[in-house]
């Protein structure tokens, strides 16, 4: 995984920590871009966490990475708090490599948590749940994405169960699935539909607020994951 031993690694480390801690209850989107409710412009968020199946943004958490030599200060906290309001996040986490000032910690108060993760700690992460995004490579993008597998879902199929992993690319933001029954591991861009070896159909539905990743089986359709657009 030496390809991402750069500034992106430190940002994406947040995603891996959140996936490990949260389980299936949340949907984790690395390098998210959503429209601010106040500013009306696209906001870039290092890691966006929403409830996987519940509607609304009441449980939204955003993460911001500060990989630099100086400490996080009051201005950093205030800027982050402003972005939290704009994207309607109830909680925020600032992750820094060089610590923070006492004033920054005092300003953060209850809604913002500040964590210290050094660059050395980031490089020790187990990347077993990350794969290069074949769609980004096929499109010959300048920045190649990585799929972060953030959900292991047991799905009832007739008399048995099917085990499926879902994930998202951190650059093209496409959904991906990994079907353990047939072994298919595929990125499904928003405008495409894919049928795996199990004859299940995978596709994306969009409305004004979000994109939803759906599997169609013999017994009906099941929503698997979502990606907010606002």
């Amino acid at each position: 995984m030496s390809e991402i031993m750069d500034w992106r690694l430190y940002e994406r480390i947040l995603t891996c920590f959140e996936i490990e801690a949260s389980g299936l209850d949340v949907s984790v989107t690395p390098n998210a871009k959503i429209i601010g409710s106040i500013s009306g412009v696209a906001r870039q968020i290092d890691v966006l966490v929403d409830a996987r199946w519940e509607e609304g943004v009441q449980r939204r958490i955003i993460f911001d990475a500060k990989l630099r030599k100086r400490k996080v200060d009051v201005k950093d906290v205030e800027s982050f708090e402003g972005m939290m309001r704009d994207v309607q996040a109830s909680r925020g986490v600032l992750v820094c490599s060089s610590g923070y000032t006492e004033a920054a910690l005092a300003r953060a108060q209850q809604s913002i948590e500040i964590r210290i993760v050094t660059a050395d700690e980031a490089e020790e992460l187990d990347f077993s749940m990350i794969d290069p995004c074949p769609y980004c490579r096929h499109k010959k993008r300048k920045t190649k994405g990585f799929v972060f597998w953030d959900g292991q879902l047991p799905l009832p199929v007739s008399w048995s169960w099917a085990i499926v992993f879902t994930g998202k690319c951190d650059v093209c933001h496409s959904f991906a699935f990994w079907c353990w029954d047939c072994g298919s591991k595929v990125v499904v861009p928003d405008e495409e539909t894919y049928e795996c070896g199990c004859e299940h159909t995978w596709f994306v539905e969009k409305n004004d607020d979000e994109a939803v990743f759906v599997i169609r089986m013999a017994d009906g359709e099941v929503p698997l994951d979502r990606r907010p657009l606002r």
Side-chain angles (χ1 to χ4, degrees):
M1 195 56 64
S2 59
E3 288 182 69
I4 58 171
M5 290 300 176
D6 55 20
W7 64 268
R8 289 178 61 206
L9 179 143
Y10 192 76
E11 288 190 354
R12 295 352 179 216
I13 191 83
L14 310 180
T15 307
C16 298
F17 282 164
E18 191 61 28
I19 290 170
E20 182 178 352
S22 301
L24 285 180
D25 195 35
V26 299
S27 175
V28 181
T29 304
N31 189 31
K33 292 180 176 63
I34 60 176
I35 303 300
S37 62
I38 301 171
S39 66
V41 300
R43 304 299 300 265
Q44 189 278 333
I45 302 168
D46 289 346
V47 180
L48 175 68
V49 179
D50 276 313
R52 184 178 289 270
W53 292 289
E54 297 174 16
E55 294 184 0
V57 296
Q58 291 81 7
R59 296 175 56 192
R60 174 167 290 175
I61 307 170
I62 64 172
F63 287 66
D64 192 28
K66 302 295 184 186
L67 178 58
R68 60 194 185 193
K69 294 181 179 180
R70 72 171 179 84
K71 295 181 178 181
V72 166
D73 58 24
V74 171
K75 290 184 178 180
D76 295 318
V77 174
E78 290 178 341
S79 175
F80 185 52
E81 186 179 50
M83 184 164 69
M84 286 174 59
R85 290 196 303 271
D86 198 17
V87 301
Q88 304 178 74
S90 60
R91 189 163 71 87
V93 182
L94 274 170
V95 181
C96 51
S97 59
S98 300
Y100 46 82
T101 66
E102 291 185 7
L105 184 61
R107 180 67 179 82
Q109 299 178 347
Q110 296 182 351
S111 62
I112 299 176
E113 176 186 350
I114 303 179
R115 299 179 188 172
I116 301 176
V117 179
T118 67
D120 289 341
E121 289 173 327
E123 291 185 357
E124 293 174 0
L125 178 70
D126 178 11
F127 286 98
S128 61
M129 292 306 292
I130 302 175
D131 281 312
C133 175
Y135 182 70
C136 283
R137 281 154 176 74
H138 172 68
K139 290 294 184 178
K140 297 182 179 180
R141 293 172 180 266
K142 184 176 180 180
T143 301
K144 304 297 191 283
F146 290 85
V147 174
F148 288 77
W149 301 105
D150 67 350
Q152 180 181 349
L153 309 169
L155 302 176
V157 180
S158 62
W159 55 271
S160 185
W161 293 84
I163 302 299
V164 171
F165 275 91
T166 61
K168 304 181 190 73
C169 175
D170 67 337
V171 171
C172 70
H173 303 109
S174 297
F175 291 101
F177 73 88
W178 180 2
C179 178
W180 279 27
D181 281 0
C182 64
S184 298
K185 186 184 286 188
V186 179
V187 171
V188 184
D190 291 0
E191 67 277 6
E192 297 184 12
T193 299
Y194 187 88
E195 184 176 296
C196 71
C198 300
E199 298 184 350
H200 300 150
T201 302
W202 313 74
F203 60 96
V204 179
E205 289 184 341
K206 279 186 175 182
N207 57 43
D208 291 339
D209 296 322
E210 64 183 5
V212 180
F213 193 36
V214 180
I215 178 174
R216 181 183 296 128
M217 303 181 292
D219 297 334
E221 297 180 356
V222 179
L224 300 174
D225 201 356
R226 65 190 187 114
R227 185 183 72 238
L229 304 176
R230 292 186 177 274

